[in-house]
Amino acid sequence: MHAKHILAAFATIPLAHAAVWNVTVGGPAGLVYTPSQVTASPGDTLHFIFASPGHSVTQSTFDAPCTEMPGGFNSGLIQQSGGTFDVLVNSTDPIWVFCEQVGHCQGGMVFAANPTTAQSFTAFQAAAKGTTA
């Protein structure tokens, strides 16, 4: 009898599933991450797929978009198509990313997870390019 009550209690608990966000790096679309931004939850994975060689997934900050964040993640320059790099999302705080290949960030090759109204993707990309949003 107790087992039925326990099973019934578990049946009412909603199951949360972590999402995997596939992000294409480079490729035919050019010097971009596709999509350029996502809204991710804690436990989700950002799965970067390198569609062309010579790109990176390097964490930065909103204020310094083309500078590696101390203690942040960095895939290094991936030299083969088809390589992957995963980032586990630990909070809803923004995650800022750029390509460290010479000139790519300044060309606008940036990505954001969880940008905000105050710190938007558009403003981040404009700062990377040295322009205003």
Side-chain angles (χ1 to χ4, degrees):
M1 185 73 160
H2 293 293
K4 287 182 183 178
H5 292 293
I6 291 171
L7 289 175
F10 281 120
T12 62
I13 298 172
L15 296 176
H17 296 284
V20 175
W21 297 91
N22 290 322
V23 181
T24 301
V25 182
L31 300 181
V32 295
Y33 297 91
T34 306
S36 60
Q37 58 184 316
V38 299
T39 301
S41 299
D44 288 359
T45 299
L46 305 175
H47 181 68
F48 294 91
I49 305 160
F50 292 83
S52 55
H55 298 293
S56 76
V57 173
T58 306
Q59 189 173 14
S60 66
T61 64
F62 181 81
D63 294 325
C66 298
T67 302
E68 185 176 352
M69 183 178 96
F73 55 80
N74 187 346
S75 67
L77 288 174
I78 302 298
Q79 298 303 329
Q80 75 279 348
S81 296
T84 63
F85 185 76
D86 290 342
V87 174
L88 180 64
V89 177
N90 293 315
S91 73
T92 57
D93 294 338
I95 299 171
W96 307 105
V97 172
F98 74 102
C99 178
E100 69 179 357
Q101 182 66 270
V102 175
H104 288 197
C105 182
Q106 294 80 2
M109 190 170 183
V110 295
F111 169 85
N114 303 327
T116 65
T117 303
Q119 293 185 325
S120 69
F121 173 79
T122 302
F124 177 65
Q125 188 176 49
K129 291 179 174 182
T131 61
T132 56

